[in-house]
Amino acid sequence: MNAPRLRARKLDIRNGHVDLSHGAGGRAMAQLIGEIFAENFANDLLAQGNDQAVFSVPPGRLAMTTDGYVVSPLFFPGGDIGSLAVHGTVNDLAMAGARPLHLSASFILEEGFPLADLQTIAQSMGAAAREAGVKIVTGDTKVVERGKADGVFISTAGIGVVPDGLDLSGDKARPGDVILVSGTIGDHGVAIMSSRENLAFETQILSDSAALNGLVADMVAACGPHLKLLRDPTRGGIAATLNEIAHQSKIGLRIEEDALPVKAEVAAACEFLGLDPLNVANEGKLLAFVAPEAAQDLLRVMRAHPLGKESAIIGACVEDPHHFVQMRTAFGGGRIVDWLSGEQLPRIC
Amino acid sequence: MNAPRLRARKLDIRNGHVDLSHGAGGRAMAQLIGEIFAENFANDLLAQGNDQAVFSVPPGRLAMTTDGYVVSPLFFPGGDIGSLAVHGTVNDLAMAGARPLHLSASFILEEGFPLADLQTIAQSMGAAAREAGVKIVTGDTKVVERGKADGVFISTAGIGVVPDGLDLSGDKARPGDVILVSGTIGDHGVAIMSSRENLAFETQILSDSAALNGLVADMVAACGPHLKLLRDPTRGGIAATLNEIAHQSKIGLRIEEDALPVKAEVAAACEFLGLDPLNVANEGKLLAFVAPEAAQDLLRVMRAHPLGKESAIIGACVEDPHHFVQMRTAFGGGRIVDWLSGEQLPRIC
């Protein structure tokens, strides 16, 4: 008797579509996982082929994080949902000062989604993971009926190792600490909005989506003991992130509008779209809070890294029982930088 | 000046609904996370309030896993998507023999989803986690527009510690090894199908959704060195799982239909629905492969645990270059137990 499973045709990636059988735990699912995910994520741990990966970790504390990705459109200038799902989770680990090790990936696919697009996304995830030095070691695939999802949603989780002696946390900033940003703000959000609204600006605005673990490793090596906290200003932009930190650390923050790096084309697009760059998401930037005596050193180290060339000191922490974030504007006035309560940019990540 | 954020009203959990602002990274999201997730998952690591949790782990190898949950309906006899999302991921860790430690949870919510249902799901997740002895240490929430998802999807990831000397894997079964199942098969799938089709059988059939890490700990303590592999037969039922293992271990499997524990009402429902219990999902059962000399001991230990009372020896591994799973039927005949290729029961988990 011949084993019929040995004669299975390869997936028709060019013309095929996801169907419910690809989430059913049977042969079709095994084939999808084998030909698309295992192929593009190739590593020894994923190849164990079990429902979990088992591995040794270096001694030290671990960081663990997760994010769901529902960005629309799935493909945008400067990236796609696949690279974003790797960068975002790597960055959440890096913000603890951790060296990212391994990721998991959970896919929720809509029936009818083109296999060619899924292949592109998986390739992009694999490339982003290799570039960031992490492995996608375990995963899961579910399929829901047409109209019950929107193409593909991805949830990645990650673990990393935190170096001994480093204890970064949102509650660690103190009055006097200096605030730095690693580059221009608002690029990701504006790239998504332009692509969603089909806007053509003179220059194409690219998402800044990138893995920041290399930059963070340099920062930790140079200024580790002086670093108080790192955070990547994603959804809600630097306005939301600064407010979160002011609350967690129970301090006020003062920033300088003039010091904020914003690309001219992003500023123009924000004006056109009625957005404030402070509220717009970034996916390859970080805010660093550092003891004042190390601020210049940190700035130098950050600017020496390809992803931190446009780093800038943007403000400092102060005593403030109200935990306000205030900005001195370019015109010399002042204003409160508040969180937005509602939704400015849905499905930005 | 008063801080307006201090005057925010509490969420109207009874009558409120998820809206896009709950995924926007601003205050509304912080409130949803605080009042629903942090409240129900309460633990010291989640309370760190960062985008990642940092913790020490005991020495040893780690297991890591993830699963997405898209079960429909969200609430079913014997559980809901929340308890399922904890049990499923705990079980994937336990199948490596790992002691589960921490979970992450990524929520994708549809605009308009009732907060009361979200609260019930979060309560159920919190209770399931406490019962299984794990903490939900980090999470993420995204909201998509009405019609772009189906209520709520959850992806959980988990890590656990694998005891030294234990090396369970799908490729470890050898001819002569004995196959056990920890109880009746098909309960979860039939519970979902009955509830979806609104079928009333004489007895209500409950999902078997449960965390198996306690049962596994007893099995490892008693028979660790003799255990070859464990796997929970979820999507695709024991037919898919047995076929997977036959392939991974490059052996054949022979099982006895008479030995398979199936509840009478599940058998009846399967007949009515045109399903084979072998293909129906379980969420609180495991298959164990063990060296023959330890099979009786293992059976005794399994039956002594509340979740293994109806454990049974169902077959054994044989040499077979075709890697077939064959079943001797109750009538004395034989048949190949094949994987289903297509989708029998969509969105069962």
Side-chain angles (χ1 to χ4, degrees):
Chain A
M1 199 180 338
N2 288 314
R5 60 177 69 82
L6 297 179
R7 290 190 269 117
R9 275 203 223 125
K10 290 203 71 155
L11 279 179
D12 180 3
I13 292 179
R14 187 192 297 258
N15 302 303
H17 293 83
V18 170
D19 64 48
L20 290 171
S21 74
H22 291 122
R27 275 192 223 161
M29 187 173 89
Q31 188 176 26
L32 183 81
I33 291 172
E35 295 182 30
I36 294 192
F37 297 128
E39 193 74 20
N40 286 299
F41 302 166
N43 64 69
D44 53 327
L45 293 172
L46 187 62
Q48 290 172 351
N50 294 315
D51 291 337
Q52 69 296 114
V54 173
F55 46 81
S56 298
V57 288
R61 289 162 304 150
L62 286 185
M64 180 173 186
T65 191
T66 192
D67 262 328
Y69 298 88
V70 299
V71 66
S72 173
L74 297 170
F75 302 92
F76 49 83
D80 60 41
I81 191 172
S83 51
L84 189 63
V86 170
H87 294 154
T89 293
V90 163
N91 290 349
D92 276 348
L93 294 172
M95 296 308 116
R99 180 164 65 85
L101 294 174
H102 300 319
L103 304 187
S104 64
S106 160
F107 295 86
I108 297 174
L109 308 175
E110 183 187 8
E111 182 187 12
F113 190 67
L115 290 178
D117 286 350
L118 189 61
Q119 166 83 338
T120 304
I121 290 167
Q123 282 169 343
S124 167
M125 287 185 81
R130 281 187 297 277
E131 204 178 331
V134 296
K135 292 177 182 175
I136 301 169
V137 298
T138 188
D140 185 58
T141 307
K142 294 291 190 306
V143 180
V144 297
E145 307 88 332
R146 204 181 289 265
K148 299 295 186 183
D150 194 14
V152 54
F153 300 142
I154 305 176
S155 291
T156 46
I159 59 167
V161 178
V162 184
D164 277 343
L166 198 66
D167 189 15
L168 307 178
S169 175
D171 57 1
K172 290 279 193 305
R174 294 291 169 268
D177 287 345
V178 173
I179 310 169
L180 295 89
V181 68
S182 65
T184 56
I185 62 170
D187 301 7
H188 176 73
V190 167
I192 298 288
M193 288 305 286
S194 324
S195 125
R196 202 182 286 169
E197 309 291 338
N198 214 358
L199 300 177
F201 297 107
E202 267 182 47
T203 321
Q204 191 185 35
I205 297 165
L206 300 182
S207 166
D208 58 345
S209 180
L212 296 170
N213 51 322
L215 172 61
V216 169
D218 288 357
M219 293 165 67
V220 168
C223 304
H226 299 288
L227 279 179
K228 305 301 185 71
L229 75 92
L230 303 174
R231 194 163 289 175
D232 53 339
T234 55
R235 274 181 292 179
I238 71 167
T241 302
L242 292 172
N243 273 284
E244 270 171 38
I245 291 170
H247 273 76
Q248 271 187 278
S249 286
K250 303 189 194 336
I251 54 173
L253 307 180
R254 299 292 177 268
I255 60 171
E256 306 283 331
E257 187 171 26
D258 269 346
L260 286 173
V262 186
K263 288 193 174 107
E265 56 267 35
V266 169
C270 279
E271 209 170 299
F272 181 80
L273 293 162
L275 301 172
D276 182 340
L278 292 171
N279 299 121
V280 177
N282 310 277
E283 292 289 347
K285 298 292 157 30
L286 60 79
L287 292 166
F289 287 64
V290 66
E293 61 272 27
Q296 290 300 332
D297 278 351
L298 187 63
L299 181 63
R300 201 162 36 242
V301 168
M302 289 170 70
R303 285 188 172 165
H305 191 280
L307 292 175
K309 274 185 222 162
E310 290 170 281
S311 295
I313 290 175
I314 61 166
C317 306
V318 297
E319 300 268 8
D320 179 352
H322 297 303
H323 314 326
F324 284 144
V325 179
Q326 293 189 47
M327 182 165 78
R328 198 168 63 185
T329 64
F331 305 108
R335 70 165 172 102
I336 299 279
V337 176
D338 203 2
W339 304 22
L340 292 185
S341 174
E343 176 58 276
Q344 189 180 28
L345 300 170
R347 300 185 59 188
I348 211 73
C349 61
Chain B
M1 204 183 333
N2 288 314
R5 61 178 67 83
L6 297 178
R7 290 190 269 116
R9 275 202 224 126
K10 289 202 70 153
L11 279 179
D12 181 2
I13 292 180
R14 186 193 295 259
N15 302 302
H17 294 82
V18 169
D19 64 50
L20 289 171
S21 74
H22 291 122
R27 274 192 224 162
M29 187 173 89
Q31 187 176 28
L32 183 83
I33 292 171
E35 294 182 32
I36 295 192
F37 297 129
E39 193 75 18
N40 286 301
F41 301 165
N43 65 70
D44 52 328
L45 293 172
L46 188 62
Q48 290 172 351
N50 295 315
D51 291 336
Q52 69 296 115
V54 174
F55 45 81
S56 298
V57 288
R61 289 163 303 151
L62 286 186
M64 180 173 187
T65 191
T66 192
D67 263 328
Y69 299 88
V70 298
V71 66
S72 173
L74 296 171
F75 302 92
F76 49 81
D80 60 42
I81 192 172
S83 52
L84 190 63
V86 170
H87 294 154
T89 292
V90 163
N91 290 348
D92 276 347
L93 294 172
M95 295 309 115
R99 179 164 65 82
L101 294 174
H102 300 319
L103 303 187
S104 64
S106 160
F107 294 87
I108 296 174
L109 307 176
E110 183 187 6
E111 181 188 13
F113 190 67
L115 291 179
D117 286 350
L118 189 62
Q119 165 83 337
T120 304
I121 290 166
Q123 281 169 343
S124 168
M125 287 185 82
R130 282 188 296 277
E131 204 177 330
V134 296
K135 292 177 181 175
I136 300 169
V137 299
T138 188
D140 184 59
T141 308
K142 294 290 189 307
V143 180
V144 298
E145 307 88 332
R146 203 181 292 264
K148 299 294 185 184
D150 194 14
V152 54
F153 301 142
I154 305 176
S155 291
T156 46
I159 59 166
V161 178
V162 184
D164 277 342
L166 199 65
D167 188 16
L168 308 178
S169 174
D171 57 2
K172 290 280 194 302
R174 293 290 169 270
D177 287 345
V178 173
I179 310 169
L180 295 90
V181 67
S182 65
T184 55
I185 62 169
D187 301 8
H188 176 74
V190 167
I192 298 288
M193 288 305 286
S194 326
S195 125
R196 202 183 285 169
E197 309 290 337
N198 214 358
L199 300 177
F201 298 107
E202 267 182 46
T203 321
Q204 191 185 35
I205 297 166
L206 300 181
S207 166
D208 59 345
S209 180
L212 296 171
N213 52 321
L215 172 62
V216 169
D218 289 358
M219 293 165 66
V220 168
C223 303
H226 299 288
L227 280 178
K228 306 301 185 72
L229 76 91
L230 303 174
R231 194 163 290 176
D232 53 338
T234 55
R235 274 181 292 179
I238 72 167
T241 302
L242 291 171
N243 273 283
E244 270 172 38
I245 291 170
H247 272 75
Q248 271 187 279
S249 286
K250 302 188 193 337
I251 53 173
L253 306 181
R254 299 292 177 269
I255 61 171
E256 305 283 331
E257 186 170 25
D258 269 347
L260 286 173
V262 186
K263 288 193 174 110
E265 57 268 35
V266 169
C270 279
E271 210 170 299
F272 182 79
L273 294 163
L275 300 173
D276 182 338
L278 293 171
N279 299 121
V280 178
N282 309 277
E283 291 290 346
K285 297 292 157 31
L286 60 80
L287 291 166
F289 286 64
V290 67
E293 62 271 27
Q296 290 300 332
D297 278 352
L298 186 64
L299 181 63
R300 201 163 37 244
V301 168
M302 288 170 69
R303 285 188 171 163
H305 191 279
L307 293 176
K309 274 185 221 161
E310 290 168 282
S311 294
I313 290 174
I314 60 165
C317 306
V318 297
E319 300 268 6
D320 179 351
H322 298 302
H323 315 325
F324 284 145
V325 179
Q326 294 189 49
M327 182 164 79
R328 196 168 64 184
T329 64
F331 305 107
R335 70 165 171 104
I336 300 278
V337 176
D338 203 2
W339 305 23
L340 293 184
S341 174
E343 176 57 279
Q344 189 179 31
L345 301 169
R347 299 184 61 186
I348 211 73
C349 60

